[in-house]
Amino acid sequence: MSTVAPPPAVLIVPGLRDHVPEHWQTVLGNKLPGARTVAPVTTDRLSCDVQVAALDEALSEISGPVVLVAHSVGVITVAHWAQRHTRPIQGALLATPPDLETPMPEGHPSRDDLGANGWLPVPRAPLPFPSIVAASTDDPLAGFAPVAALARAWGSRLVDLGPVGHLNPAAGYGEWPQAEQYVRELSGEGR
């Protein structure tokens, strides 16, 4: 008699703005049984090391396979984490990573602040797990070409989402139904 393995746990990796109730990650997390979210960082929020440690701590609480669902700077956190840790990851959905190497719009950290806090340079080594980079063609935090270059460097499949801004509530995205499809794909459902 064969047993069916349980589906991987889903771990949501928010960007620097952490948990936003109407964000697609929050909506997705509420829909998926057992989904977890990396706990908000309360001190040194802009520190890459602190964000990577928070991700690693959340992963240490999950014993089985994991699919990461990252957005914005959460994507860059995943890339930095992957360079420092070897825990197996089943797959990662990496939505609208920002281009931290060009000046950010008003209200976002400066390039100097990002560098001083360990975010730069952005890792470009291939990720040791399957990944999907979902990119917007009109993201105010990243041009499509730099995101496509990151996807190539990471060995990720690139998905062109079209003009969806930064894929956040400010761009009109609460629910993002395609995220569930990508999570199912990365989870190995339907194989």
Side-chain angles (χ1 to χ4, degrees), residues 6-179:
V10 172
L11 180 61
I12 298 188
V13 187
L16 289 177
R17 301 200 194 279
D18 285 322
H19 178 85
V20 177
E22 63 276 3
H23 196 283
W24 66 265
Q25 284 182 306
T26 307
V27 173
L28 178 67
N30 290 335
K31 289 174 96 175
L32 299 176
R36 302 175 191 196
T37 301
V38 173
V41 170
T42 56
T43 58
D44 294 326
R45 291 183 41 137
L46 191 55
S47 167
C48 180
D49 289 343
V50 170
Q51 295 288 345
V52 168
L55 170 56
D56 195 52
E57 182 176 334
L59 283 166
S60 74
E61 297 170 2
I62 301 170
S63 60
V66 178
V67 170
L68 301 173
V69 177
H71 177 254
S72 193
V73 171
V75 172
I76 309 303
T77 300
V78 168
H80 279 282
W81 177 89
Q83 285 200 322
R84 303 174 193 182
H85 299 279
T86 58
R87 183 206 201 281
I89 298 295
Q90 180 145 343
L93 172 57
L94 308 171
T96 59
D99 180 2
L100 300 183
E101 295 173 345
T102 61
M104 302 295 277
E106 186 73 29
H108 295 283
S110 71
R111 203 168 177 279
D112 289 342
D113 286 341
L114 291 166
N117 281 281
W119 294 101
L120 301 175
V122 171
R124 284 182 164 66
L127 296 175
F129 42 79
S131 57
I132 298 170
V133 170
S136 171
T137 57
D138 66 349
D139 190 337
L141 301 184
F144 187 82
V147 173
L150 276 178
R152 279 191 303 278
W154 291 338
S156 304
R157 185 175 115 216
L158 178 66
V159 175
D160 180 343
L161 299 176
V164 297
H166 194 53
L167 196 63
N168 58 6
Y173 286 86
E175 188 166 9
W176 178 40
Q178 291 90 340

